[in-house]
Amino acid sequence: MEFSSKLLERAVNEMSQLPGIGKRTALRLVLHMLRQPKEQTLALSEALKVMRNDVKFCKSCHNISDVDLCEICSSLNRNSELICVVEDIRDVMAIENTSSFKGLYHVLGGKISPMDGIGPHDLNIESLVTKVKEGKVKELIFALSSTMEGDTTNFYIYKQIQDYKVYTSTIARGISVGDELEYADEITLGRSIVNRIPFESSLKL
Amino acid sequence: MEFSSKLLERAVNEMSQLPGIGKRTALRLVLHMLRQPKEQTLALSEALKVMRNDVKFCKSCHNISDVDLCEICSSLNRNSELICVVEDIRDVMAIENTSSFKGLYHVLGGKISPMDGIGPHDLNIESLVTKVKEGKVKELIFALSSTMEGDTTNFYIYKQIQDYKVYTSTIARGISVGDELEYADEITLGRSIVNRIPFESSLKL
């Protein structure tokens, strides 16, 4: 691609570093910026800079936060003895949206994946184990995705804490609400039968 | 979407102003930035700011440029009496990539489109007509897309300059190189028959 302006070329090159954005898309986005009022692009530029410079991670749960201890961890209305272990801050957002969980979170920052060169020490596992060892946690809920990497990570953490007094659980796997049985995969359908729940308790949901 | 950080929320909101980027994609991109080295996001932020603040448009052809008169317009190796009229700077880049055009360009900045509220005075038409009136141009090549808006724009410009001594042409419409005839639309196929060229001259291409 031949650019008539070095400034344009540099902006396009930087934009195309982002995942899923190729040179053509980057050019389209940058040309859009040139058509919009200048303030809009300057606001984007500033927001990205400030975000990258000033964003913090909660020292307890490793969620993104503007302060040292995030809102969830510092809330008095939440059960600090119940911890939900998730991969990513997007999982925290997804679970928070359901309004059905009133404990705290622990963000691992990924899954153990030897293929991608991610070992236990690249994740926030040690601080979780420390919390358990200190006896502050009654229940850990594993809410990782059910892939080989997710299962490996669950099991690794489980082995580290099994000698301490903590109850561990994992989120229910089953047929999504509204899904047709005939299209469900065998493993999910099988698990949903094995882990069936009393009909009376389903009425309360 | 509930964010645990105002800085993150602001960055996601600004990113999602871009066309084709929704909140979810914006969040994915911003979280990617947080995983990459800080320098990368700061470079993107700086590139966008500098580009929006300092980019110029060539005073002659209205192409994007870092200087007042763009490289193409100021080149001595190009035929300044032959002007190719295009909608957008992307069209300039596309034609330049073919290396088959050695004249100058004139970027209109869009097409006449009453539906979108774009009239002749929103486009760089006056400066083109002035060039023609000054007798500096021997041939105008219309290279707009062949839509109703493109045809309207061509015709509007044509009416403005028809009393002056200038030859006007339009790019050839026909079957794309490598395309199968059976899949071509009727209008394109019809035009390609009407506007057939001598076989000997096709051998030279």
Side-chain angles (χ1 to χ4, degrees):
Chain A
M1 227 183 249
E2 281 280 333
F3 291 91
S4 58
S5 155
K6 290 274 170 235
L7 300 175
L8 181 74
E9 182 171 10
R10 190 176 138 203
V12 169
N13 284 342
E14 291 292 344
M15 281 295 279
S16 63
Q17 302 287 317
L18 296 173
I21 298 196
K23 287 262 166 132
R24 263 169 199 274
T25 309
L27 178 62
R28 189 170 56 81
L29 294 176
V30 169
L31 290 180
H32 171 85
M33 289 179 201
L34 285 174
R35 278 193 295 268
Q36 296 302 113
K38 194 185 261 192
E39 292 66 37
Q40 203 166 314
T41 308
L42 298 185
L44 168 63
S45 161
E46 185 66 17
L48 293 181
K49 190 172 84 181
V50 171
M51 188 269 304
R52 195 61 185 85
N53 272 331
D54 297 349
V55 109
K56 293 192 181 84
F57 291 89
C58 171
K59 64 180 181 183
S60 174
C61 72
H62 308 282
N63 190 7
I64 285 176
S65 169
D66 293 339
V67 282
D68 282 344
L69 196 66
C70 78
E71 267 181 47
I72 296 176
C73 287
S74 56
S75 166
L76 297 172
N77 298 321
R78 302 188 75 120
N79 179 0
S80 67
E81 293 178 322
L82 177 62
I83 291 187
C84 181
V85 182
V86 294
E87 269 170 62
D88 200 17
I89 80 137
R90 274 179 291 185
D91 303 325
V92 175
M93 290 169 71
I95 298 176
E96 281 297 286
N97 271 341
T98 69
S99 311
S100 63
F101 180 67
K102 288 295 165 206
L104 306 185
Y105 296 92
H106 189 93
V107 181
L108 295 178
K111 292 172 287 193
I112 295 174
S113 170
M115 290 279 280
D116 303 314
I118 303 173
H121 299 290
D122 300 314
L123 306 175
N124 303 315
I125 291 180
E126 216 177 288
S127 54
L128 177 64
V129 173
T130 307
K131 279 184 207 170
V132 173
K133 282 184 184 171
E134 287 171 351
K136 289 177 184 168
V137 188
K138 281 200 176 146
E139 179 175 350
L140 276 193
I141 306 174
F142 292 118
L144 305 194
S145 52
S146 72
T147 56
M148 205 173 69
E149 288 84 8
D151 291 346
T152 306
T153 312
N154 287 341
F155 194 67
Y156 179 87
I157 298 173
Y158 177 74
K159 286 302 246 184
Q160 302 272 311
I161 58 167
Q162 64 179 345
D163 297 336
Y164 299 92
K165 225 177 87 183
V166 59
Y167 176 72
T168 48
S169 60
T170 176
I171 54 169
R173 309 288 174 185
I175 309 294
S176 293
V177 178
D179 262 13
E180 308 266 1
L181 283 206
E182 54 179 325
Y183 301 119
D185 66 289
E186 293 159 26
I187 299 178
T188 305
L189 190 54
R191 284 208 202 177
S192 77
I193 304 253
V194 173
N195 300 323
R196 64 194 178 277
I197 59 165
F199 183 67
E200 287 86 1
S201 59
S202 78
L203 294 176
K204 292 177 203 146
L205 297 177
Chain B
M1 226 183 249
E2 283 280 333
F3 291 91
S4 57
S5 153
K6 291 276 170 231
L7 300 174
L8 180 74
E9 183 170 10
R10 192 177 137 203
V12 169
N13 284 341
E14 291 293 343
M15 281 296 278
S16 64
Q17 302 287 316
L18 296 173
I21 298 197
K23 287 262 165 131
R24 262 168 199 274
T25 309
L27 178 62
R28 188 169 57 81
L29 294 176
V30 169
L31 290 180
H32 171 84
M33 289 178 201
L34 285 174
R35 277 193 296 268
Q36 297 301 111
K38 195 185 259 193
E39 291 67 36
Q40 203 166 316
T41 307
L42 298 185
L44 168 62
S45 161
E46 186 65 17
L48 294 181
K49 191 172 83 181
V50 171
M51 189 268 306
R52 195 62 185 85
N53 273 330
D54 297 348
V55 109
K56 293 191 182 84
F57 292 90
C58 171
K59 64 181 180 181
S60 174
C61 72
H62 308 283
N63 190 8
I64 285 176
S65 169
D66 293 340
V67 283
D68 282 344
L69 196 67
C70 78
E71 266 181 49
I72 296 176
C73 286
S74 57
S75 166
L76 296 173
N77 298 321
R78 303 188 73 120
N79 179 0
S80 66
E81 294 179 322
L82 176 62
I83 291 188
C84 181
V85 182
V86 294
E87 270 170 60
D88 199 19
I89 80 136
R90 273 177 291 184
D91 302 325
V92 175
M93 289 169 72
I95 298 177
E96 282 296 287
N97 271 341
T98 69
S99 311
S100 62
F101 179 67
K102 288 295 165 207
L104 306 185
Y105 296 92
H106 189 93
V107 181
L108 295 177
K111 292 172 288 192
I112 296 174
S113 171
M115 290 280 279
D116 303 313
I118 302 174
H121 299 291
D122 300 314
L123 306 176
N124 303 316
I125 291 182
E126 217 177 287
S127 55
L128 176 64
V129 174
T130 307
K131 278 184 209 171
V132 173
K133 282 185 183 171
E134 288 171 351
K136 289 179 185 164
V137 188
K138 282 201 178 147
E139 179 175 351
L140 275 193
I141 305 173
F142 292 118
L144 306 193
S145 50
S146 71
T147 57
M148 203 172 70
E149 289 84 8
D151 291 346
T152 307
T153 312
N154 287 341
F155 194 68
Y156 179 88
I157 298 174
Y158 177 74
K159 286 302 248 182
Q160 303 272 310
I161 58 166
Q162 64 179 347
D163 297 336
Y164 300 91
K165 224 179 86 184
V166 61
Y167 176 72
T168 48
S169 60
T170 176
I171 54 168
R173 308 289 174 185
I175 308 295
S176 293
V177 178
D179 262 14
E180 308 266 2
L181 284 206
E182 56 179 325
Y183 301 119
D185 67 290
E186 292 159 27
I187 300 177
T188 305
L189 189 54
R191 283 207 202 177
S192 77
I193 304 257
V194 173
N195 300 322
R196 64 194 178 278
I197 59 164
F199 183 68
E200 287 86 0
S201 61
S202 79
L203 294 175
K204 291 177 203 147
L205 296 177

